[in-house]
Amino acid sequence: MNNKVFSIILLFIGIVVSGYGATPEKLRKTLTNGAPMHDTQGNVINAHGGGFLKIGEYYYWIGENRKNGVFVSCYRSKDLTNWEFRGDLLTRTSHKELDKANIERPKVIYNEKTGKYVMWMHYEYGPDYSYARAAVAVSDDIEKPFTYVKSFRPFGNMSRDCTLFKDEDGTAYFFSSARENYDMMQYRLSDDYLDAKEQVATLWPGGHREAPALVKRGDYYYIITSGCTGWAPNQAKYAYAKSITGPWSELINLGNATTFESQSTYILPIEGTKSTSYLYVGDRWDGKQYFNSTYIFLPLTFKGENKLELNWTPSVIPVVKSGELITER
Ligand code: DGJ
């Protein structure tokens, strides 16, 4: 055997051995709805009430962790199915205001002007939901611990379930449930995204909505919300508008009476070479045993001019390159 052939054989053995050694798990291709999800180290993914960001070829998933004094954790993936744990962004020791805090529904957006990642979330202090505040944290690096800025009630309003939405022109909005969850408020953020600058609207006053998630597609903005039934699932509804500042349509039923046993948290666009698909991301809460909560990923279908449809499928294969979603029939 000459040297060249010998080195090729060695190289081949090296690739096989290191390949098997470094990846104990096989690459996953499927998002299985309602099943426990594990990261690439085999640990359960704790990212509930979460949101997503695309940076380069990575999708980042940031959500509630709640284990061992951790509030918010960060995962990343190139294919949306194999998630690598990247770190804890906010913990009980990040700031003194967090020592007895409870953090829900963290969402992160990037501010082009300041070059910083800004997180908004629902902040509680103590055992119940009476603080009803928003909180803000900031970081230069999406994967590194965030600096806690403050908690407050925007314009004096209670603030519970919430989300962020960044419009195409860079203007960002914070949506949150106020007045004991009876009103869904919309605020325009300051240019640095660290403050609520303007109270833009009260959506469906008295409508009792929470779990907001927004997306823009074509000429329309869409918002999905749930009703307010604690940890128990209920009928999601959506509305659409031609402008982010409204007027919004009436609330229209989406999915089935329990939203397939889930509550909305995010709408994830998957932009590929063939198409852009949209995944509804929801939490299937276990209110008694929080850590048994799972995730629901369902294709969100746009019909006609501005109609939304959500149908059940046990699993989804996201093809991030083409932007297509393959579902089980
Ligand atoms: C429903 C909310 O959407 C969740 O984030 C959480 O606050 C539960 N209620 C608590 O009951």
Side-chain angles (χ1 to χ4, degrees):
M1 196 184 303
N2 67 28
N3 276 353
K4 207 169 166 199
V5 174
F6 185 65
S7 13
I8 290 171
I9 291 171
L10 269 188
L11 185 70
F12 179 72
I13 292 171
I15 289 169
V16 170
V17 168
S18 67
Y20 279 117
T23 15
E25 283 187 65
K26 280 205 291 192
L27 283 185
R28 266 181 296 259
K29 285 193 173 150
T30 308
L31 291 164
T32 306
N33 285 318
M37 275 181 80
H38 297 89
D39 65 17
T40 50
Q41 292 170 308
N43 298 315
V44 169
I45 296 179
N46 287 313
H48 288 287
F52 296 77
L53 257 107
K54 178 100 192 283
I55 304 173
E57 44 184 0
Y58 285 107
Y59 289 91
Y60 280 86
W61 184 5
I62 291 166
E64 296 170 20
N65 184 314
R66 293 191 184 225
K67 273 231 157 112
N68 308 322
V70 175
F71 292 129
V72 183
S73 289
C74 171
Y75 299 82
R76 76 175 186 189
S77 171
K78 285 185 185 172
D79 57 14
L80 293 172
T81 46
N82 295 278
W83 292 94
E84 198 187 330
F85 173 73
R86 299 302 293 170
D88 297 323
L89 304 186
L90 212 61
T91 71
R92 204 170 283 292
T93 56
S94 300
H95 188 274
K96 61 178 182 331
E97 265 195 34
L98 295 173
D99 62 344
K100 294 189 185 70
N102 180 24
I103 296 297
E104 290 186 352
R105 297 185 176 269
K107 302 286 182 300
V108 176
I109 50 175
Y110 179 67
N111 188 309
E112 267 89 13
K113 287 185 188 149
T114 60
K116 292 184 190 296
Y117 294 92
V118 182
M119 181 190 299
W120 281 64
M121 62 210 106
H122 171 194
Y123 170 95
E124 292 294 343
Y125 192 80
D128 57 21
Y129 284 85
S130 57
Y131 260 65
R133 290 183 181 205
V136 184
V138 68
S139 176
D140 292 332
D141 186 335
I142 186 79
E143 300 189 0
K144 296 275 154 55
F146 275 53
T147 304
Y148 179 81
V149 179
K150 62 177 175 180
S151 76
F152 70 117
R153 285 189 170 185
F155 293 87
N157 298 319
M158 294 175 102
S159 185
R160 291 197 179 120
D161 271 22
C162 58
T163 199
L164 285 174
F165 178 75
K166 184 173 156 186
D167 207 354
E168 287 155 346
D169 65 358
T171 311
Y173 299 87
F174 180 64
F175 292 77
S176 72
S177 306
R179 201 167 62 87
E180 299 291 359
N181 302 343
Y182 276 96
D183 298 339
M184 178 60 67
M185 308 302 296
Q186 178 183 1
Y187 308 96
R188 184 174 55 79
L189 301 192
S190 53
D191 283 353
D192 60 9
Y193 299 170
L194 298 179
D195 218 340
K197 200 73 185 160
E198 181 197 354
Q199 187 170 310
V200 177
T202 305
L203 309 185
W204 319 290
H208 220 205
R209 309 302 299 169
E210 60 181 13
L214 282 96
V215 75
K216 181 169 192 223
R217 181 179 178 271
D219 292 336
Y220 286 94
Y221 296 84
Y222 298 85
I223 181 170
I224 298 176
T225 56
S226 75
C228 300
T229 49
W231 298 107
N234 57 55
Q235 172 80 64
K237 291 177 188 277
Y238 75 94
Y240 56 85
K242 278 214 156 178
S243 161
I244 187 64
T245 53
W248 291 89
S249 70
E250 58 176 352
L251 291 162
I252 305 160
N253 284 352
L254 181 70
N256 70 1
T258 63
T259 320
F260 311 109
E261 291 171 59
S262 76
Q263 189 182 31
S264 43
T265 185
Y266 203 76
I267 302 168
L268 174 61
I270 304 162
E271 212 181 312
T273 49
K274 278 197 185 154
S275 61
T276 302
S277 310
Y278 297 82
L279 263 186
Y280 159 94
V281 186
D283 296 284
R284 182 171 279 180
W285 299 116
D286 183 332
K288 292 202 182 84
Q289 304 225 28
Y290 177 86
F291 294 105
N292 287 340
S293 303
T294 56
Y295 308 95
I296 301 296
F297 297 89
L298 295 174
L300 203 52
T301 318
F302 294 81
K303 296 252 167 87
E305 201 191 341
N306 47 29
K307 198 167 173 275
L308 268 192
E309 257 183 32
L310 189 71
N311 294 302
W312 174 251
T313 179
S315 62
V316 180
I317 299 176
V319 189
V320 296
K321 195 159 180 236
S322 66
E324 292 162 306
L325 296 172
I326 301 170
T327 55
E328 201 178 297
R329 301 214 179 264

